[in-house]
Amino acid sequence: MKIGLDIMGGDYAPKATVLGAIEAYKTLSADQKLVLIGDREIATSILQENNANPDNFEFVHTTEVIGMGEHPTKAIVQKPDSSISVGFKLLKEGYIQAFSSAGNTGAMLVGGMFSVKTIPGVIRPAMTTIVPKLKGGLGILLDVGANADCKPDNLLQFGVLGSLLAESVYGISNPRVALMNIGEEEEKGNLLTQASYHVMKDTNMFNFVGNIEGRDLFSGEFDIAVCDGFTGNVILKLAESFYVITLKKGFKDEFFDRFNYEQYGGSPILGLNQPVVVGHGISSPEAIKNMVLLSKNMVESNLIDKIKQAFQ
């Protein structure tokens, strides 16, 4: 297995990404190789400064970088030798089996859809995040930013994608899928959630348990929470602030510690033909390491094949 890592993507790249690669390497088996995509000379220098052997990694040298604020489509087209563009080329050609980056999220979405493309039957790929539960365990929230505007069919498919991720990667049996809404009653919500409720209620593609409200997000009443990307991204950014607030207020709590994004590494883009993971722009070495390990788990679990079978 070869896992591609964009070492130029992220606010603290390439130092944080290369240091994360060093930590990830320590957990990989002999038949799992990390391919560092970016400026080879800089990466080698960082490795040597930290007493890491460059021979432990493969390198694919690139000369361009897509900035965090660049227009995704223009950047992918105008910078073919960027680390993101080259990463997707390697993924499409099968040289690597997974690709991850903490760089420009839009470029990762566009690059994925242009290169490895969407699985036939999937209308729009979705991004996910982990939601810690008060009594232990975790839930999955999607979409968290790939699709700001959605239709009921999108939310239905998000339920399928989230269920397969929960079962395959996180070992959750018969995951419960809930619809994020402003009330528990069937008739509550806007036009999207009202229509989506009936579509999801009538499906046999997953275990639908009805509506949940924002106050239920950290409860044990669901395993998958489905919403449009606008709502999901607002929830995600609010939840991320909890951990930061606890640090600023000077108190430590096991539950709030689980809001630390570093533990989860990144967000899988579900619905593409190959495993792709997007990390947080401020990813630390620990987050980069966990992003690589999540990519590995997606490959080992055969998640993509299971999604393809579900949408045949």
Side-chain angles (χ1 to χ4, degrees):
M1 180 198 305
K2 290 186 178 182
I3 304 167
L5 172 64
D6 168 19
I7 60 171
M8 309 306 290
D11 294 345
Y12 305 120
K15 185 172 183 178
T17 47
V18 175
L19 292 179
I22 294 172
E23 294 305 310
Y25 167 77
K26 297 174 183 178
T27 69
L28 298 177
S29 60
D31 62 341
Q32 296 167 344
K33 197 76 172 180
L34 199 48
V35 180
L36 306 186
I37 305 165
D39 190 311
R40 177 171 185 157
E41 184 177 341
I42 293 176
T44 302
S45 175
I46 296 171
L47 290 169
Q48 292 173 340
E49 289 172 2
N50 289 275
N51 300 315
N53 187 354
D55 293 340
N56 293 333
F57 306 90
E58 286 192 25
F59 298 88
V60 175
H61 182 71
T62 63
T63 60
E64 297 176 308
V65 178
I66 294 177
M68 300 297 276
E70 290 192 58
H71 187 281
T73 305
K74 289 182 180 179
I76 287 289
V77 173
Q78 295 173 0
K79 292 185 173 181
D81 200 44
S82 66
S83 49
I84 288 179
S85 297
V86 171
F88 277 115
K89 180 175 181 291
L90 297 173
L91 188 63
K92 180 181 179 180
E93 294 173 349
Y95 185 78
I96 57 177
Q97 284 67 60
F99 179 49
S100 58
S101 172
N104 187 308
T105 299
M108 289 293 288
L109 284 164
V110 171
M113 295 180 71
F114 278 9
S115 59
V116 296
K117 303 188 184 304
T118 305
I119 291 171
V122 175
I123 302 169
R124 290 284 298 177
M127 294 179 63
T128 75
T129 193
I130 295 300
V131 178
K133 300 294 189 68
L134 272 169
K135 296 183 179 180
L138 56 85
I140 296 169
L141 175 70
L142 75 165
D143 179 36
V144 294
N147 308 279
D149 296 299
C150 291
K151 296 180 179 179
D153 285 348
N154 299 129
L155 299 193
L156 177 70
Q157 291 196 348
F158 295 167
V160 177
L161 293 170
S163 293
L164 291 170
L165 176 67
E167 292 174 340
S168 302
V169 175
Y170 296 106
I172 302 174
S173 178
N174 193 30
R176 299 159 296 170
V177 179
L179 178 63
M180 182 58 64
N181 210 331
I182 59 172
E184 296 180 357
E185 297 83 3
E186 183 174 335
E187 67 276 5
K188 286 292 182 71
N190 55 18
L191 294 177
L192 173 62
T193 53
Q194 289 176 17
S196 298
Y197 184 96
H198 293 289
V199 172
M200 297 172 78
K201 179 182 178 181
D202 294 337
T203 190
N204 59 3
M205 300 175 72
F206 50 75
N207 177 20
F208 183 57
V209 295
N211 289 326
I212 59 169
E213 301 177 80
R215 63 185 176 186
D216 303 316
L217 190 61
F218 310 113
S219 71
E221 299 176 6
F222 76 98
D223 300 299
I224 316 295
V226 172
C227 60
D228 63 88
F230 184 94
T231 302
N233 194 263
V234 171
I235 294 173
L236 170 62
K237 298 298 172 57
L238 176 63
E240 286 180 346
S241 73
F242 294 166
Y243 176 69
V244 177
I245 290 171
T246 61
L247 294 180
K248 290 182 177 179
K249 298 296 288 185
F251 70 89
K252 190 171 181 62
D253 180 89
E254 185 275 334
F255 173 66
F256 287 109
D257 284 347
R258 288 192 281 137
F259 283 88
N260 183 357
Y261 75 95
E262 293 179 326
Q263 296 185 28
Y264 309 111
S267 299
I269 304 179
L270 299 181
L272 297 177
N273 276 296
Q274 296 291 344
V276 176
V277 180
V278 180
H280 203 299
I282 60 171
S283 286
S284 64
E286 177 70 12
I288 296 296
K289 179 194 79 172
N290 287 323
M291 181 172 67
V292 170
L293 297 183
L294 176 57
S295 301
K296 175 182 74 77
N297 291 340
M298 289 177 68
V299 176
E300 289 180 333
S301 67
N302 295 316
L303 174 62
I304 304 303
D305 288 340
K306 292 173 183 176
I307 294 175
K308 289 178 179 178
Q309 292 172 7
F311 282 90
Q312 280 183 348

